[in-house]
């Protein structure tokens, strides 16, 4: 994809629904070129089955991001995200996952398959796996237990001490390193801290590239805590975990949600309480002690019973942020 000389290069790290919501907002900005660098450590559901049968990197997070950035129309997106029902065979697989698996088998290269399918579905920007091979995510829990497998980590209910990937000597995709080196802005998250965001930052050469970059690095804080990963985490606890895994402070700004309407906020709180969850406590004083700029913005909305980042408000925030 050719880039205009006036475009700003924006690199976003993560995976899952949080990243997809962010990208749906940012893609509306004609002044930026987006590059999403996505985790390949998923081992559950359709991705896990394809990983075992074809020994390819898991396509699920890649598929979600491609759907978020596609401009082929809502019907094509629904088809790409369609999950087959029934008892056997295709049950549980999404069409997008199967297409990525098929193209990887045909071309012999996962990253090449993503590029070709991105062209077919008119994806705005560039979608890159952090590595062109499967990664396995491991977690060391607070009691010393080692859990292997992204899908297994959240179910233990014990605090996570650290996560790491294997093989440890994995090489990042060269295009992903190049994107970081050319980035005007680097955005981290939102998304599951230990199973979506950190796996993209733990590849050693990528970690060094992020630290070396002089571009503004922004963490978009999660709105809610997550059972099995960050059940009691404050905003500064998220930052502390990021710094601990990357090895040093590296963020310039943290974006947190600040409600604009007390009534709507209370409705959201009640929605979360019904599921045993809650908003992340935005401990601003502690965040500022980490030396980051704290940007407060009304960026939450309720969608289908879930509290998620509002795509339009995210887009408005980024326009304000880059025009300071």
């Amino acid at each position: 994809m050719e880039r205009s000389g006036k475009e700003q290069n924006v690199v976003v790290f993560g995976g899952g629904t949080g990243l997809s919501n962010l990208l749906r907002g940012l893609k509306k900005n004609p002044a930026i070129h987006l590059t999403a660098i996505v985790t390949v450590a998923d081992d559950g559901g359709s991705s896990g089955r394809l990983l075992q049968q074809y020994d390819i990197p898991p396509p699920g997070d890649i598929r979600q991001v491609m759907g978020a950035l596609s401009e082929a129309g809502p019907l094509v997106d629904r088809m790409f995200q369609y999950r087959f029902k029934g008892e056997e065979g295709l049950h549980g697989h999404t069409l997008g996952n199967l297409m990525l698996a098929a193209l990887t088998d045909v071309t012999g290269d996962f990253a090449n398959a993503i590029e070709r399918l991105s062209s077919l579905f008119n994806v705005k920007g560039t979608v890159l796996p952090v590595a062109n091979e499967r990664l396995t995510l491991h977690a060391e829990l607070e009691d010393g237990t080692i859990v292997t497998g992204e899908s297994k980590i959240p179910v233990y209910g014990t605090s996570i001490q650290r996560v790491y990937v294997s093989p440890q000597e994995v090489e990042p995709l060269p295009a992903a390193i190049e994107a970081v080196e050319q980035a005007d802005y680097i955005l981290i998250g939102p998304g599951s801290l230990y199973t979506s965001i950190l796996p993209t930052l733990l590849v050693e050469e990528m970690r060094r590239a992020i630290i070396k970059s002089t571009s503004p690095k922004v963490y978009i804080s999660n709105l809610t805590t997550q059972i099995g990963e960050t059940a009691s985490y404050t905003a500064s606890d998220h930052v502390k975990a990021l710094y601990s895994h990357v090895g040093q402070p590296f963020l310039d700004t943290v974006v947190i949600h600040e409600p604009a309407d007390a009534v709507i906020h209370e409705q959201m709180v009640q929605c979360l309480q019904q599921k045993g969850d809650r908003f992340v406590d935005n401990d601003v004083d502690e965040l500022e002690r980490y030396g980051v700029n704290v940007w407060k913005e009304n960026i939450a909305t309720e969608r289908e019973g879930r509290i998620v980042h509002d795509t339009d408000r995210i887009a408005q925030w980024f326009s304000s942020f880059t025009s300071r």
Side-chain angles (χ1 to χ4, degrees), residues 20-188:
S20 296
N21 286 335
L22 173 66
L23 294 173
R24 283 191 174 91
L26 294 183
K27 77 174 184 180
K28 300 174 184 178
N29 188 332
I32 65 177
H33 176 87
L34 283 168
T35 298
I37 299 179
V38 187
T39 175
V40 284
D42 185 13
D43 68 345
S46 172
S47 286
R49 289 163 61 192
L50 291 171
L51 185 152
Q52 295 299 325
Q53 293 171 358
Y54 294 97
D55 193 29
I56 65 170
D61 286 283
I62 295 286
R63 182 203 79 245
Q64 287 193 54
V65 168
M66 290 177 65
L69 291 176
S70 173
E71 296 193 321
L75 182 60
V76 172
D77 183 36
R78 285 180 62 190
M79 179 187 71
F80 192 58
Q81 306 292 349
Y82 177 78
R83 192 173 297 276
F84 290 93
K85 302 175 179 65
E87 298 299 325
E88 299 178 0
L90 294 177
H91 171 73
H93 282 304
T94 60
L95 181 60
N97 282 4
L98 294 175
M99 294 177 75
L100 281 165
L103 262 178
T104 301
D105 194 39
V106 168
T107 65
D109 184 89
F110 186 56
N112 190 15
I114 296 168
E115 182 179 0
R116 295 193 182 194
L117 206 56
S118 294
S119 177
L120 179 65
F121 282 96
N122 193 22
V123 167
K124 181 181 180 181
T126 305
V127 181
L128 300 173
V130 68
N132 206 19
E133 60 181 282
R134 55 183 286 190
L135 295 178
T136 300
L137 185 65
H138 311 268
E140 179 183 349
L141 305 183
E142 197 171 49
D143 62 5
T145 302
I146 302 296
V147 182
T148 296
E150 178 270 341
S151 62
K152 299 180 180 65
I153 291 171
V155 303
Y156 272 73
T158 302
S159 297
I160 298 170
Q161 190 73 20
R162 69 182 182 110
V163 292
Y164 58 97
V165 296
S166 63
Q168 293 186 0
E169 67 277 7
V170 65
E171 294 291 330
L173 195 71
I177 294 294
E178 182 182 354
V180 171
E181 292 173 343
Q182 296 180 356
D184 295 302
Y185 295 92
I186 296 174
L187 309 183
I188 312 291

Side-chain angles (χ1 to χ4, degrees), residues 202-264:
L202 294 176
V203 176
E204 180 58 26
E205 190 177 340
M206 179 60 73
R207 185 188 70 84
R208 291 198 301 265
I210 292 170
I211 291 172
K212 184 178 178 181
S213 172
T214 58
S215 299
K217 304 177 191 78
V218 181
Y219 172 57
I220 301 169
S221 180
N222 286 341
L223 298 170
T224 65
T225 57
Q226 185 175 353
I227 295 173
E229 289 200 35
T230 57
S232 60
Y233 275 36
T234 64
S236 69
D237 288 330
H238 285 75
V239 171
K240 180 180 178 180
L242 288 166
Y243 284 4
S244 173
H245 283 79
V246 171
Q248 66 181 70
F250 68 99
L251 297 170
D252 302 291
T253 300
V254 175
V255 182
I256 61 174
H257 170 60
E258 182 172 68
D261 185 300
V263 174
I264 292 176

